[in-house]
């Protein structure tokens, strides 16, 4: 069992706040993703769990034991870094074996444990190679094998795919997903890539400037974002956000009119996903000239400009038109989200 409790964790450097009042329980065997832009505090949170940073305030508990004052080596966590951090003078076998030597594991068990870890990440044909002779994807798999070889309570992964090209990211992401399922270990994964978060996580923690914005399953985060920051950060493309006015249940903005909404009168921000709208022949809720067209293969992305904001809708891949042509877009009221204009917080449910 490896339940992790973060009780009102804070990290400050003088007047600079890195993480503010982070309070969360991470269940045993859960795959939790910390998601947010650079500087949001996600890596700092992970480093405090690992013991590489001291928490300014709050408590960190692993299996009910407070670990704030324990050295990293005594917390029984394994960390996979963005930079791989392999020993260049050692071959793959020795790199994977190294944690067993450092922790004094019986040498009679080393070969079996190394081979098991290498097989899990498909490295058995590369055990004699030095890191310099490996591709980026192979090096990352060595780092993964080195983390799993000693069977720690907790895996910590700090943007492990960010140095890989797009194709390798997809295949290695699948490997990490499969590994987490097989190992059934508690995993905390840091990334700024929302696709990684959506595909890997049991739960996602979205962070901004050291503050947790929302915690939930990928579906919850995607379908019911807590505020405009989460709405704009999750999704490809991000949720469309349009500033306008609500009067008697009708939202209005330049070239936009959507009736039947439940929300207060006054200034609000309307949100909807590109896939939740469609191109109509006429009579749609949005009517404007086409700003740009993008053929995606399985669909055509049609964008129009509403005020100073771009609004995107996914049309059929056979849709054809020209920039500047008028287009009518249907947005069903049940797919609309409303946010407070000042705070960005979600309005009602």
């Amino acid at each position: 069992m490896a339940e992790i409790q973060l009780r009102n964790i804070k990290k400050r450097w003088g007047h600079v706040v890195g993480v503010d009042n982070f309070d969360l329980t991470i269940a045993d065997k859960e795959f939790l993703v910390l998601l947010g832009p650079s500087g949001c505090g996600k890596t700092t949170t992970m480093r405090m769990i690992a013991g590489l940073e001291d928490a300014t305030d709050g408590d960190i508990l692993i299996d009910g034991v407070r670990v704030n004052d324990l050295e990293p080596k005594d917390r029984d966590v394994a960390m996979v870094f963005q930079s791989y951090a392999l020993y260049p003078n050692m071959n793959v076998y020795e790199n994977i074996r190294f944690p067993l030597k450092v922790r004094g594991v019986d040498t009679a068990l080393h070969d079996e444990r190394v081979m098991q870890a290498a097989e899990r990440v498909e490295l058995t044909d590369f055990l004699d190679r030095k890191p310099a002779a490996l591709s980026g994807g192979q090096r990352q798999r060595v780092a993964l094998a080195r983390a799993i070889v000693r069977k720690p309570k907790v895996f910590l992964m700090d943007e492990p795919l960010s140095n890989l090209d797009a194709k390798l990211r997809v295949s290695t992401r699948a490997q990490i997903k499969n590994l987490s399922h097989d190992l059934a270990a508690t995993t905390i994964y840091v990334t700024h890539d929302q696709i990684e978060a959506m595909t890997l996580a049991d739960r996602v923690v979205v962070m901004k400037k050291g503050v947790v914005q929302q915690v939930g399953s990928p579906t919850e985060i995607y379908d019911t974002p807590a505020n405009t920051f989460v709405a704009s950060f999750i999704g490809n493309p991000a949720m469309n956000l349009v500033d306008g006015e609500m009067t008697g249940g009708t939202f209005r903005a330049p070239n936009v009119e959507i009736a039947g909404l439940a929300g207060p009168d006054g200034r609000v921000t309307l949100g909807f996903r590109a896939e939740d709208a469609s191109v109509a022949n006429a009579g749609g809720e949005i009517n404007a000239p086409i700003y740009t067209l993008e053929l995606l293969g399985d669909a055509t992305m049609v964008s129009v400009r509403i005020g100073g904001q771009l609004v995107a809708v996914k049309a059929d891949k056979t849709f054809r038109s020209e920039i500047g042509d008028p287009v009518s877009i249907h947005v069903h009221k049940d797919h609309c989200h409303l946010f407070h204009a000042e705070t960005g917080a979600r309005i009602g449910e």
Side-chain angles (χ1 to χ4, degrees):
M1 178 177 174
E3 179 186 82
I4 301 171
Q5 298 175 56
L6 305 177
R7 296 179 176 171
N8 302 112
I9 296 299
K10 299 178 182 177
K11 180 63 180 180
R12 295 190 184 92
W13 296 274
H15 296 296
V16 177
V17 178
V19 176
D20 190 22
N21 203 36
F22 193 115
D23 191 87
L24 185 68
T25 296
I26 303 161
D28 178 42
K29 301 178 183 178
E30 182 175 15
F31 197 117
L32 184 88
V33 173
L34 303 179
L35 174 69
S38 298
C40 72
K42 55 189 186 296
T43 295
T44 300
T45 301
M46 175 178 283
R47 289 176 64 85
M48 286 190 286
I49 296 169
L52 302 177
E53 295 276 0
D54 294 326
T56 307
D57 292 299
D59 296 314
I60 302 170
L61 292 87
I62 300 178
D63 287 345
V65 177
R66 187 178 184 274
V67 300
N68 291 53
D69 301 321
L70 294 183
E71 293 293 321
K73 65 182 178 63
D74 298 322
R75 299 192 185 195
D76 199 11
V77 302
M79 193 160 181
V80 179
F81 296 93
Q82 176 181 347
S83 60
Y84 317 138
L86 303 180
Y87 298 102
N89 59 316
M90 296 182 185
N91 63 20
V92 168
Y93 184 97
E94 290 300 329
N95 264 285
I96 298 173
R97 181 188 176 204
F98 189 75
L100 302 178
K101 295 170 65 177
V102 170
R103 296 181 71 84
V105 175
D106 184 353
T107 54
L109 301 175
H110 286 198
D111 190 65
E112 179 184 357
R113 297 271 286 272
V114 170
M115 293 307 296
Q116 286 177 347
E119 286 172 8
R120 283 186 180 276
V121 296
E122 301 173 13
L123 281 173
T124 51
D125 293 336
F126 303 93
L127 294 175
D128 293 330
R129 294 193 188 183
K130 297 284 183 67
L134 301 175
S135 68
Q138 290 164 345
R139 292 179 197 178
Q140 191 55 273
R141 290 189 324 217
V142 176
L144 287 170
R146 188 177 58 188
I148 67 179
V149 72
R150 62 180 184 81
K151 302 176 182 177
K153 288 182 178 179
V154 180
F155 289 108
L156 305 175
M157 301 188 183
D158 186 13
E159 305 213 36
L161 308 184
S162 60
N163 288 336
L164 306 181
D165 63 36
K167 185 177 180 180
L168 269 177
R169 276 202 301 273
V170 172
S171 60
T172 310
R173 187 171 70 221
Q175 198 161 39
I176 289 173
K177 181 83 170 180
N178 184 266
L179 270 175
S180 70
H181 178 269
D182 285 351
L183 297 172
T186 307
T187 303
I188 302 174
Y189 186 104
V190 162
T191 184
H192 63 272
D193 187 324
Q194 52 96 13
I195 295 177
E196 288 179 26
M198 295 293 287
T199 54
L200 291 173
D202 295 321
R203 282 194 301 167
V204 179
V205 179
V206 184
M207 300 182 70
K208 176 187 178 185
K209 296 181 179 178
V211 178
V212 173
Q213 303 295 304
Q214 187 172 0
V215 181
S217 70
T219 300
E220 291 167 344
I221 298 282
Y222 189 83
D223 289 344
T224 55
N227 54 42
T228 51
F229 174 79
V230 177
S232 64
F233 199 81
I234 298 291
N236 185 22
M239 181 178 284
N240 295 306
L241 296 172
V242 181
D243 296 327
E245 293 274 343
M246 278 281 288
T247 306
T250 298
F251 174 88
R252 292 183 177 89
N255 303 314
V256 181
E257 183 173 323
I258 304 175
L261 301 177
D265 287 355
R267 291 178 57 245
V268 298
T269 299
L270 174 87
F272 64 92
R273 298 280 182 194
E275 64 270 23
D276 290 334
S278 58
V279 173
N281 292 328
E285 288 73 19
I286 300 175
N287 293 277
I290 293 174
Y291 182 78
T292 187
L293 292 162
E294 299 172 273
L295 182 60
L296 305 179
D298 63 335
T300 300
M301 192 71 73
V302 181
S303 297
V304 299
R305 185 177 285 278
I306 304 298
Q309 299 151 305
L310 283 180
V311 168
V313 56
K314 280 189 176 180
D316 189 86
K317 64 181 180 181
T318 61
F319 178 81
R320 295 291 181 269
S321 195
E322 299 291 335
I323 291 175
D325 288 351
V327 67
S328 187
I329 296 171
H330 174 56
V331 185
H332 196 283
K333 63 183 180 62
D334 292 345
H335 292 150
C336 291
H337 309 256
L338 294 176
F339 304 93
H340 290 283
E342 291 78 20
T343 66
R346 185 180 187 82
I347 296 174
E349 267 308 314

